[in-house]
Amino acid sequence: MNIVACIKRVPATETQPKVAADGMGLDHSALEYMLSFYDEIALEEAIRSKEAHGGEVTALTLGPTEASKELRDCLARGADKGRVSLDPACHPREPRTTPTPTAATDTARGAELVFCGRQATDRDNAAVGPMLATMLGWSCVTDVIELHIDGTSATAKRESERGIEHFRFTLPAVITCQKGLNEPRYAGLKGIMAAKKKPIEEAEPMLVESATEVVGVSLPPARPAGRIVGEGPDAVPALLEALRTEAKVL
Amino acid sequence: MTSTTAGASGLVRALFLGSAPKAAFLPFPEPDAETRETADEIFAMVSAWAAETIDPAAIDRAAEIPVEVRDGLAELGLLGLIVPEEFGGAGMGQFAYSRLMEAVAHRCASTVTVIGGHMGLAMKPVLLFGTDEQKAHWLPQFASGERLGSFALTEAGAGSDAGGLRTSAEELPDGSWKLSGTKVMITNAGYAGVFAVFARTPDPEQPDLPLAERPISCFYVPAELPGVTVAPEEDKMGLKGSSTCEVAFDEVVVPADHLIGPRGKGFKVALNTLNTGRHGLAACCIGQAKLAAELAYKQAGERVQFGRPIAEFGLIREMLAGMTADIYAMEAGTHLAAGLMDRGETDYLLESAACKIFATERLWTLANDSLQVAGGWGFMKEFPFERIVRDARINLIFEGTNQILRTLMAGQGLKPLLQAGAPEPEERATVADFDARLAAVAGQVLEQVEALGSATAELLETKGKGLFFDQPAQARISEASVALYTALAVLSRATSQLTELDGQAAEARVEVATLAARRRLRAARASLALLVDPDSDLEGRIVERAY
C-alpha cells in the first residue's frame, strides 16, 4: 500500500513570533522550526499502517527547501521517502492552494491512504485534509482517534464535541489525525543513521495562486495585568462582585 | 605519548614551551557537515525524549533512576553511539559523543552517569585494546544495552594512587583466572552486567614479586559469576540517582579470554580509558552549565526588586555575562579536543585534562552563581538550583582529581624542557590568523603564551628537578596552560564561526568570544603572578604544626 503522510514545518511552539517590519507576515529569520504536533501523529499512523499492512510511506511537504530537515526527522522515524514540493512563498498561502499540488502528487504516486494532522499548529486552518479528499474524490474522516484497516475497507472513530462518531469507509481515503490516535515514537539512533540512506526529492510543483491576499498581520493586544482583589476568605465577596460586574462571567 | 615536538596535536605541551603552533588549533577542527548534522539530529531527538521521560527532581528525591529511563537509553540505541557499525553501534566519534552527553546532562546529571560509566569508561578497554574476537563478543552486548558496563578501578587504598591497588588475579592451570579484591565507589554497579576490573597479575618473568609490585591487568567480569557481590547503594551528596556501590570479588573464576588488552598493561588500559572519559565529563558539564545559566537568566528577568528586574543590576549582570562567556569557552575547549580526537590525533592527554579541569571547576562556581541569583529560593529543594550545585561537586573529584590532573599536566608539560635538545620549531599562530575583530585580545593571549614559556623555563632554572616536588608551582603553570588552551580554543572557534555570521549575530559572537578570552587571560595572569608563592613556606609550617 502506498501511504502518504503530509507534514508541515511550523514555527516552534515555544518561540515568541515577531511581526516582520512590513507588517505583512512573521519575521522568519527570528524563528525556530519544528514538525507540526498533529503531523507527528499522522506520520506515526502512516508508519504503523505500513508495519501492519506492508507498503511504503512517503513524507510529503509543501514548503521551502529547509523543510528537508523535518522530512529527515520523518525518515529517521520510519518513513521511506521524503518529498518537498518547493514553494518559497508558502507562508502567506491560503489553505486551498496547498492541496492542489498535493493531490497531483498523491495521484501520481498511486497513494491509497493519506494521513494529515488535524490542523497545523501555526495557522490552525484544519482545512488541507478535507480539501485534499474533495479534490481526489476520496473518503475522508477528520479528527480520528482510532483507526482499523482491513484490506480496502476501514473503520474509524472520530472525536467531536457531541461525542464519539463511528465510521466505516473504503480506501482510498484521507485521514486527519487527532491527539490520542497514537503515541509518536522517537527516531532512535538506528533510525537517524538509516535516514541518511533514504532519498529526499525536491520537486517544482504546479503552484496555484492564492485567491485571497494578506493585507496585514499583527500580534494580539497585550493582556492587561491581573488585579488582586484581596486575600483569604474575606476577599470572596469582592471577587464575586468583580466577576459579575467587571468580567461579566457569572 | 611523549613526543617532544608539538605536531598537529600537543597544543598544551607546546604552551608550556611558550608557543601556540598554528596547526594544532587553526582552523578550528569542526566536524564535517554530515557529522555535525547527525550530531544535531541526535541532540534534538535525545533532548525531546529526555524532556518527556526524565524527571530530574524525582530521580534526586527517590535516589534512583527509573528502569524505563535506563531502558529508554538502550531502546534509542544511545548506548552504542561510539561502537563501530559492524558491532551493532552507530560508529560515531567523540564530537557526537560529547553532544549526546551534553543533551542528557542538560536534563539530568544522574542519568548521564549511566552513559558515562558504560560508554565513556567500561566499554573503552575492549574498544581500544580488545582483539577482534573480544570486540565481536562484548561490543554488541554493550551497544544494545544487554549488558551495562561498570568501570571498577578504585579501591579503599587506591584512589588517586593506582599503585595502592590490591585486587589480585591468580592464573589457574587451565588458563582462567581467580580474582579477589574489593572495589569501592563503583558507578553503575547496581545494574551492571559486566565490570571492567583492574587487578594485579603475576609477572611470568618475576614470579616472586610481592602483590603490591605486580603489574596490573584488566578483566571483564560478568556480574553473574559466582563470588561477585554488589553492596547496597551509597548515600551521596549529589548525583543521587546514579548507582554507586562497593563491589566485592571473592575468588571469582574469570575465563582466560576475559583478560582485555595485554597482560600486565592494565595501567595503560586504565589511563587511556580515563583520558577520553574525562573529556566526556567536560561535555556533561556544558549541559548542566547551560541549564544553570538558563535558570539564572530566567530568574533575573522575572524577579523584581527595587522596582526593576534584578537582571538590570551590575552585580547580577557580572554573574550572568560570565556564565554566557564561560559556557562558550567550555564548548570551545571541549569541541577543540573532540575535533583533534576525531581527526585521529593520539596525544590528547593534556587537552582532555585541561577540558576536565576548566569545565568541572567553572560548572561548580557557575551553579553556585545561579543559586545566588535565585536568592533564598535557590536554597529551597522546591527549585532545581541546589540540586545542580550538589550534582556538580563530584566532578572535581572523580576521573582524576583536579589536583592530580594539574600535577600530571605539569609533569608531562615540563618533560621536554628537561630533555636535551630544543624542540623542532613550529609555525606559530600570529594575530593575523584570527578574525580582525578579535585581534586585540588575540595579541594579548599570544603574549601570555610566551610569558608562560618564559616563566616555566625560569622556574625550572631556579628550582631544577625540585619543581617536580613543588605541587603548588606545578598547579599554577598548569592552571595558566588550561586558561590559555581555552582562550586559544575560543579565538579559533569564533574565528571560524564569524566567517558564516554577519550583522548583529556577528557582533554578538565577537563580544561573547572577547569576554570569554579576556576572562581566561585574567586567569592565566593571576596564576603566573603567583608562580613563586611568597607564602608557601609559611603554609608548610602552619600545617606541620597542626597535624
Side-chain angles (χ1 to χ4, degrees), chain B residues 177-490:
Chain B
W177 298 84
K178 193 169 74 182
L179 192 145
S180 291
T182 302
K183 300 288 180 178
V184 299
M185 298 187 260
I186 302 307
T187 300
N188 281 358
Y191 26 73
V194 62
F195 295 93
V197 182
F198 293 83
R200 294 199 179 268
T201 46
D203 181 347
E205 285 168 19
Q206 299 168 272
D208 298 330
L209 279 182
L211 177 63
E213 290 171 32
R214 289 180 192 165
I216 293 168
S217 299
C218 173
F219 297 90
Y220 273 174
V221 181
E224 71 274 14
L225 288 187
V228 178
T229 312
V230 178
E233 292 288 339
E234 300 285 355
D235 187 6
K236 306 189 292 285
M237 168 187 179
L239 294 188
K240 289 175 93 72
S242 75
S243 170
T244 312
C245 311
E246 183 177 297
V247 185
F249 301 90
D250 182 17
E251 302 198 336
V252 180
V253 177
V254 183
D257 61 1
H258 286 29
L259 189 151
I260 310 291
R263 175 176 174 171
K265 298 288 178 200
F267 194 57
K268 185 181 165 193
V269 174
L271 286 185
N272 277 281
T273 295
L274 288 167
N275 223 343
T276 49
R278 275 176 206 133
H279 181 267
L281 177 57
C284 292
C285 292
I286 298 172
Q288 281 277 294
K290 285 186 178 173
L291 172 64
E294 285 159 16
L295 291 165
Y297 267 94
K298 186 166 184 293
Q299 174 72 12
E302 288 173 0
R303 173 74 171 163
V304 174
Q305 289 287 274
F306 306 104
R308 338 182 237 170
I310 60 171
E312 291 184 15
F313 293 101
L315 288 175
I316 302 289
R317 286 197 167 178
E318 206 172 62
M319 287 192 272
L320 295 177
M323 291 179 195
T324 303
D326 289 349
I327 287 171
Y328 185 79
M330 281 185 202
E331 281 184 322
T334 308
H335 291 183
L336 171 59
L340 299 176
M341 292 181 202
D342 286 347
R343 77 181 183 197
E345 308 289 351
T346 52
D347 179 9
Y348 48 76
L349 169 68
L350 301 194
E351 287 70 22
S352 185
C355 293
K356 195 261 185 184
I357 292 172
F358 176 59
T360 58
E361 291 180 8
R362 189 53 182 115
L363 170 61
W364 172 239
T365 55
L366 192 152
N368 206 32
D369 282 351
S370 175
L371 188 152
Q372 189 71 15
V373 169
W377 295 117
F379 196 63
M380 304 301 158
K381 289 219 163 198
E382 188 184 346
F383 301 100
F385 302 93
E386 61 84 35
R387 187 188 75 237
I388 299 172
V389 170
R390 284 187 287 108
D391 286 347
R393 187 60 185 85
I394 189 61
N395 298 332
L396 288 74
I397 297 169
F398 65 11
E399 302 207 33
T401 70
N402 290 8
Q403 284 72 18
I404 286 290
L405 291 182
R406 284 192 166 92
T407 58
L408 173 103
M409 289 183 75
Q412 292 281 322
L414 291 170
K415 238 184 221 170
L417 286 166
L418 291 173
Q419 287 162 351
E424 285 171 35
E426 284 279 335
E427 193 194 342
R428 294 182 177 204
T430 65
V431 172
D433 292 318
F434 301 97
D435 187 279
R437 290 160 284 187
L438 298 167
V441 65
Q444 292 170 320
V445 170
L446 291 176
E447 255 171 47
Q448 205 59 28
V449 170
E450 285 180 23
L452 171 61
S454 318
T456 308
E458 202 184 303
L459 203 61
L460 211 58
E461 216 173 280
T462 50
K463 299 213 171 203
K465 289 198 174 175
L467 182 51
F468 282 88
F469 302 97
D470 186 344
Q471 288 195 336
Q474 287 175 19
R476 277 169 202 133
I477 49 172
S478 296
E479 185 50 39
S481 79
V482 170
L484 293 170
Y485 164 79
T486 311
L488 291 168
V490 163

Side-chain angles (χ1 to χ4, degrees), chain A residues 21 42 47 51 78 89 93 135 170 180 196 217 242:
Chain A
I47 296 166
E51 286 167 351
R93 285 198 174 277
M135 286 176 182
T170 54
K196 298 188 178 309
V217 170

Side-chain angles (χ1 to χ4, degrees), chain A residues 106-127:
Chain A
D106 292 341
T107 308
R109 300 200 155 228
E112 293 160 82
L113 195 50
V114 173
F115 292 97
C116 300
R118 74 177 299 268
Q119 69 198 75
T121 52
D122 55 351
R123 303 279 291 274
D124 293 336
N125 281 315

Side-chain angles (χ1 to χ4, degrees), chain A residues 52-68:
Chain A
H53 308 286
E56 190 178 83
V57 172
T58 301
L60 174 67
T61 192
L62 190 70
T65 181
E66 290 80 16
S68 63

